[in-house]
Amino acid sequence: MLLATGLSLNLALGVLLIIFAVAQSLYSCWVSYRLKYAGDILSASLTPANRALGIYRISNCILIVASFWMALWIFGLVGAVKHTLSSLIVVVLLGSLAWTMEVLRNIVHGTVAGVVAQVYFDGGNPTQYSVKTSLHRVCTTSFGSICLGSSIVPILHALRMAARGLNRLQGENEFLFSCANCFMGIMDTLIGFGNNWAYVQVVVYGKPFIKASQDTWNLIKHCKLDVLINTDLTSSVCVLSGISGGMLCVLVSGGWTFATHKDLTTSISILAFIIGYSLVLIAMAVPQACVAVHYVSYAENPANQQFIQSPIPERLNELLRDLV
């Protein structure tokens, strides 16, 4: 659609999307051997969550709230376009939307983490009451930590992904080797001050976000689970699911716009992608939270009977043998 509009901006955007699609296809082939473990850890992690239907109700309610907020945001965006400082206002609105969607996603993440942790720590079954209790804690005493984490974690994770990419591309150049190692070392330190696994201890123990991040990361590194987490594809699966949802929205809304208002195809397509991507990521917060609780709970007590059939020990031993 973008290529067919004939506009230079649309042409450039269309070419970039084609390059991105090819890169993702190559990446899928490259990491295909890790897919089995990703499926195993998702299956093992989702088992406790499937006992509490309230978890999915909370997720659906947050999706409704997010949809309502996006509708209001779009009205604001339409008004901002006509303003004299439209570019600056649009940037601020985009930042506001990204942060708000991240907060809503982490509300789901924290609620699910609090409920599923009950299974691992107490051996109990999650109930409707435990779901309400966890949601109440997330939206009251832990809400400040949720908001702070929503501001810090996406930036740190993006920088860490860039560091890991640079680390792979360093080659035999000594300067790049030094820069990559330095950058990776800095990000390994900073990730201890903000990470997704911290939400488990934030909700379960009521710790402040920074303290929970440090304790959780130290616990993970002590058990050498960081070696396993760095190769885990579950986060990539969630992100790619969001991208797929965004692209599906682009095909539907962009196709309709191309047929009726060709000159608006680019702006509507970008807006549709943002909406679809954000909503799917909120939905994917449930499995992502379950996996996070599985890792943190295993790190706290690997001998727990709940982990008898966990795929973590076998996969971790394989990775550690490869490092020797």
Side-chain angles (χ1 to χ4, degrees):
M1 291 184 298
L2 295 175
L3 295 177
T5 58
L7 300 176
S8 57
L9 177 61
N10 294 357
L11 180 63
L13 186 58
V15 171
L16 286 175
L17 290 175
I18 291 174
I19 295 173
F20 177 77
V22 172
Q24 289 301 312
S25 300
L26 294 174
Y27 175 76
S28 299
C29 296
W30 181 48
V31 299
S32 59
Y33 68 96
R34 290 192 257 165
L35 291 175
K36 182 181 182 304
Y37 172 75
D40 291 341
I41 193 67
L42 277 171
S43 178
S45 302
L46 284 171
T47 301
N50 292 333
R51 304 180 198 171
L53 296 178
I55 285 177
Y56 297 99
R57 294 195 188 102
I58 293 298
S59 176
N60 293 335
C61 289
I62 295 298
L63 282 172
I64 293 173
V65 172
S67 301
F68 178 73
W69 176 257
M70 280 189 172
L72 293 177
W73 181 84
I74 290 172
F75 281 116
L77 183 65
V78 172
V81 172
K82 300 178 181 179
H83 198 276
T84 54
L85 298 175
S86 58
S87 299
L88 177 61
I89 296 175
V90 168
V91 170
V92 172
L93 284 174
L94 286 172
S96 172
L97 178 67
W99 180 75
T100 303
M101 292 299 107
E102 187 69 11
V103 169
L104 292 175
R105 187 180 75 87
N106 286 327
I107 288 175
V108 178
H109 188 110
T111 302
V112 174
V115 175
V116 175
Q118 179 182 337
V119 178
Y120 294 122
F121 296 157
D122 302 331
N125 290 319
T127 63
Q128 198 72 9
Y129 174 75
S130 63
V131 173
K132 292 180 180 178
T133 303
S134 182
L135 178 63
H136 179 266
R137 186 178 301 169
V138 166
C139 294
T140 53
T141 56
S142 298
F143 190 67
S145 293
I146 295 293
C147 293
L148 177 62
S150 300
S151 304
I152 296 175
V153 173
I155 298 173
L156 291 182
H157 277 237
L159 291 174
R160 191 162 188 262
M161 288 178 63
R164 291 172 62 184
L166 181 61
N167 205 35
R168 294 192 186 99
L169 296 174
Q170 63 191 0
E172 297 180 358
N173 188 300
E174 292 185 4
F175 176 72
L176 283 179
F177 177 80
S178 300
C179 291
N181 282 347
C182 179
F183 191 19
M184 196 65 191
I186 293 173
M187 292 316 305
D188 278 341
T189 301
L190 292 178
I191 203 70
F193 294 92
N195 53 74
N196 278 322
W197 305 281
Y199 295 116
V200 180
Q201 293 202 3
V202 165
V203 178
V204 175
Y205 300 127
K207 294 181 179 180
F209 180 76
I210 301 297
K211 175 65 173 173
S213 297
Q214 292 172 331
D215 292 348
T216 306
W217 189 243
N218 289 335
L219 185 66
I220 287 173
K221 294 196 75 172
H222 177 73
C223 297
K224 298 182 179 179
L225 284 180
D226 56 317
V227 177
L228 180 55
I229 287 173
N230 288 337
T231 62
D232 187 10
L233 290 178
T234 51
S235 294
S236 299
V237 169
C238 293
V239 173
L240 288 176
S241 297
I243 293 174
S244 300
M247 295 309 296
L248 181 61
C249 290
V250 169
L251 288 175
V252 175
S253 60
W256 176 80
T257 307
F258 181 75
T260 56
H261 302 84
K262 191 174 180 179
D263 55 325
L264 298 176
T265 300
T266 302
S267 56
I268 296 299
S269 296
I270 294 174
L271 188 60
F273 177 82
I274 292 173
I275 292 173
Y277 177 79
S278 300
L279 293 179
V280 173
L281 274 192
I282 291 175
M284 293 303 292
V286 174
Q288 201 165 9
C290 292
V291 171
V293 176
H294 194 90
Y295 278 123
V296 175
S297 302
Y298 180 87
E300 290 197 357
N301 185 13
N304 191 322
Q305 293 295 314
Q306 302 284 343
F307 301 115
I308 292 178
Q309 296 183 345
S310 174
I312 291 178
E314 182 181 354
R315 178 61 177 163
L316 183 59
N317 289 334
E318 290 177 3
L319 292 174
L320 291 178
R321 281 198 302 268
D322 291 340
L323 292 176
V324 175

